[in-house]
């Protein structure tokens, strides 16, 4: 069932730890229909940055919604 898991990659435009290029490379290496790649403008690496914090909160909510949908199957 691992092939059913959706992957979310969220990286900041100015992230020097996990660079946008690395995120794009990882997305390319995975199955394209399973990957949601988000490049957050104005953000770096840390979720304490406002833009990254908002993006991570939205992705976490989307992931929880996905998990809840599995229970209905």
């Amino acid at each position: 069932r691992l092939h059913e898991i959706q992957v979310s990659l969220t990286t900041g435009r100015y992230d020097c730890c996990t660079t946008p290029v690395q995120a794009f490379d990882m997305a390319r290496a995975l199955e394209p229909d399973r990957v949601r790649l988000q490049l957050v403008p104005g953000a770096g690496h840390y979720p304490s940055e406002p833009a990254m914090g908002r993006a991570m909160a939205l992705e976490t909510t989307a992931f929880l919604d996905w998990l809840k949908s599995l229970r209905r199957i």
Side-chain angles (χ1 to χ4, degrees):
R1 286 188 47 141
L2 288 178
H3 68 276
E4 297 173 7
I5 294 177
Q6 298 296 306
V7 177
S8 175
L9 301 173
T10 303
T11 188
R13 169 67 182 88
Y14 302 107
D15 192 333
C16 295
C17 299
T18 309
T19 66
V21 171
Q22 292 170 322
F24 284 115
D25 289 345
M26 185 179 291
R28 248 192 323 251
L30 297 168
E31 295 175 37
D33 59 333
R34 293 187 321 132
V35 178
R36 174 181 157 82
L37 175 61
Q38 181 178 355
L39 182 64
V40 182
H45 182 75
Y46 298 101
S48 58
E49 298 173 18
M52 183 56 81
R54 282 190 297 277
M56 295 303 294
L58 290 171
E59 285 303 307
T60 301
T61 300
F63 179 70
L64 290 173
D65 290 342
W66 177 76
L67 284 175
K68 288 175 187 175
S69 75
L70 293 179
R71 291 180 137 179
R72 294 186 193 123
I73 295 176

